[in-house]
Amino acid sequence: MPNMNPESLMKDFTPYVAKDGEEYMNENQLAHFKSILLNWKQNLMEEVDRTVHHLKEEAVNYADPNDRASQEEEFSLELRARDRERKLVKKISQTIELIDDEDYGYCEECGIEIGIRRLEARPTATMCIDCKTLAEIKERQIGG
């Protein structure tokens, strides 16, 4: 079973085309992002189901310790990937709540618009690119 990047589970969508003078995060834009997030969440949940099925189907008690170790490593990698995806599903759900509360699309640090294209690339983004870049620089300085 391939180990997929969670973003690759975000299926193709049609980029939003804003009309001239259109208000940022209007009803149509919120619906656009909610649709993207719901589809992404559904794809992640389907991937979890496939993993459970795969683990059940492929679970063999190999006599050879090397074969057993290889299988355990494969299963461990899959479970770690699913754990990351479980956390992502939670973040997607929180983001959908922001949309429902009409509090989506603005930087949690400085309050400016995050931007349609950035949100299409990372729909769970909570910071504008400038604040995110600064946060990453600070993290690198403190962390390492």
Side-chain angles (χ1 to χ4, degrees):
M1 175 172 268
N3 185 6
M4 300 181 85
N5 179 342
E7 280 76 15
S8 69
L9 294 172
M10 209 169 72
K11 297 287 187 213
D12 292 333
F13 61 92
T14 304
Y16 188 83
V17 179
K19 297 171 182 67
D20 286 341
E22 182 176 19
E23 184 181 343
Y24 181 71
M25 283 303 132
N26 62 46
E27 190 175 309
N28 291 335
Q29 291 175 10
L30 291 173
H32 171 73
F33 286 106
K34 188 169 186 176
S35 172
I36 289 170
L37 288 160
L38 288 171
N39 287 333
W40 193 11
K41 185 176 178 179
Q42 179 64 37
N43 290 328
L44 287 166
M45 299 307 289
E46 289 170 4
E47 188 65 22
V48 167
D49 291 343
R50 282 190 288 276
T51 297
V52 169
H53 178 73
H54 175 71
L55 293 175
K56 284 180 181 177
E57 294 293 314
E58 298 296 319
V60 176
N61 194 5
Y62 291 109
D64 180 8
N66 289 326
D67 290 339
R68 241 188 347 264
S70 293
Q71 182 185 48
E72 287 175 10
E73 179 65 18
E74 176 192 343
F75 286 1
S76 176
L77 289 171
E78 277 190 52
L79 291 172
R80 275 199 302 253
R82 295 303 85 79
D83 188 52
R84 283 191 306 274
E85 290 170 1
R86 179 188 55 79
K87 292 173 184 170
L88 180 55
V89 166
K90 183 178 178 184
K91 188 167 185 174
I92 290 169
S93 295
Q94 291 168 339
T95 303
I96 291 169
E97 286 180 28
L98 289 174
I99 290 173
D100 290 342
D101 295 341
E102 296 183 5
D103 196 21
Y104 176 73
Y106 297 90
C107 180
E108 66 183 16
E109 293 293 317
C110 70
I112 68 166
E113 297 175 0
I114 293 174
I116 301 287
R117 297 301 164 239
R118 174 160 166 68
L119 290 170
E120 284 180 335
R122 184 166 296 276
T124 57
T126 57
M127 288 190 249
C128 67
I129 195 69
D130 291 337
C131 288
K132 182 63 176 171
T133 302
L134 284 173
E136 288 173 354
I137 290 169
K138 287 177 186 175
E139 188 176 302
R140 278 194 300 269
Q141 288 175 342
I142 292 170

